[in-house]
Amino acid sequence: GEMLEAPVLALLPKRCPRLHSLLVSFAAELDGEALSAFTTLSQLDALTLKKAQKPPDDAWASFFLQQQRCRAADADPGWRVLNFCECELFCDGAANTLALVPQVRLVELDLSWCWNLGDRGLAALLNVAPGLQRLRLAGMKSLSEHGLVPCSRMANLEELDCTACNSVSDSFLEFLLRLFAGPLGSAGDALPGLVPPAVRHASETLWAKRKIWAPRPEIRNYYAQRLEDW
């Protein structure tokens, strides 16, 4: 998509109105008007727009509102895959608007290098996407562990990438890894049986839904190290 200018991108919905999946790996020329044109793709449930740095936060928010209104009556609700890697102006307003609709089908979310997105917006979105399997957040400078708390309830989580996330502590990521290692006191790397009530509740809630034989998610810290390799 590097050579595609905004007017050309805006023509996609007219030429391909039945698209279910759209991937533009270099959407640098995409502006708010072209993004708005995508709202008419009523069957769309997988969207990748990398390096779309022109649309402001309110344009993203408006896109999600309008696309929901235009969604076909027979289409499955919510999104399945969203990738907005390096979309610098994707902020809390966009995330909060996206979170107005339960995203129960969302299995993959990539917000890497959306460094203006903070804890509140991310947490709001993660709270309505409990089925996430792959969550990539590399380079989110404004993110702390507070925005990642909903991950403790994601029974299907397979991957969490926090590379270059300055304010996400290793201790919190280690807690998540041990939480997903097994029920309390189940030996190995699992958390011990004697823990504070809030931690016990988190573990019991997670393992009421998570399969006991499920492998631990791959979690990467600031240095892109897998926690298992420490």
Side-chain angles (χ1 to χ4, degrees):
E2 184 173 357
M3 304 302 295
L4 293 178
E5 297 183 352
V8 177
L9 289 167
L11 289 175
L12 277 173
K14 295 182 179 179
R15 302 292 176 84
C16 309
R18 298 181 182 275
L19 279 177
H20 288 254
S21 177
L22 174 62
L23 188 157
V24 184
S25 60
F26 196 99
E29 296 304 315
L30 181 82
D31 58 16
E33 185 175 349
L35 178 63
S36 178
F38 293 164
T39 62
T40 60
L41 293 169
S42 61
Q43 303 283 346
L44 196 65
D45 71 352
L47 179 62
T48 295
L49 295 173
K50 296 183 179 181
K51 301 179 185 288
Q53 300 172 355
K54 290 185 177 182
D57 193 40
D58 58 352
W60 288 106
S62 177
F63 165 74
F64 292 124
L65 279 176
Q66 295 300 321
Q67 205 278 336
Q68 180 61 33
R69 291 170 183 167
C70 293
R71 188 172 289 274
D74 59 345
D76 291 322
W79 296 88
R80 183 172 50 83
V81 175
L82 291 173
N83 186 332
F84 302 123
C85 179
E86 295 187 65
C87 297
E88 297 176 9
L89 300 182
F90 186 104
C91 306
D92 285 352
N96 283 320
T97 302
L98 184 54
L100 292 175
V101 176
Q103 301 296 332
V104 295
R105 297 175 60 239
L106 190 62
V107 296
E108 183 172 325
L109 177 64
D110 192 337
L111 297 171
S112 299
W113 305 102
C114 295
W115 48 58
N116 290 305
L117 176 61
D119 286 332
R120 290 188 178 182
L122 180 65
L125 179 52
L126 297 186
N127 272 324
V128 299
L132 271 173
Q133 297 174 13
R134 293 171 293 281
L135 178 58
R136 302 183 182 109
L137 306 169
M140 285 185 58
K141 308 297 184 182
S142 301
L143 175 65
S144 74
E145 46 260 42
H146 297 292
L148 294 175
V149 170
C151 292
S152 65
R153 299 186 290 274
M154 294 178 180
N156 300 317
L157 189 66
E158 298 174 0
E159 177 187 353
L160 173 60
D161 186 358
C162 292
T163 301
C165 292
N166 306 50
S167 300
V168 177
S169 68
D170 284 352
S171 59
F172 178 77
L173 295 180
E174 184 179 1
F175 164 76
L176 282 181
L177 188 71
R178 297 187 67 188
L179 180 69
F180 279 87
L184 294 177
S186 59
D189 291 330
L191 293 167
L194 186 61
V195 293
V199 176
R200 177 170 296 278
H201 176 72
S203 177
E204 291 174 351
T205 300
L206 174 69
W207 287 99
K209 299 178 181 179
R210 187 170 175 82
K211 294 179 175 62
I212 195 68
W213 58 83
R216 291 184 300 181
E218 180 178 289
I219 300 177
R220 293 187 181 274
N221 70 356
Y222 177 86
Y223 299 103
Q225 296 172 317
R226 296 171 66 250
L227 265 64
E228 296 91 330
D229 298 336
W230 288 8

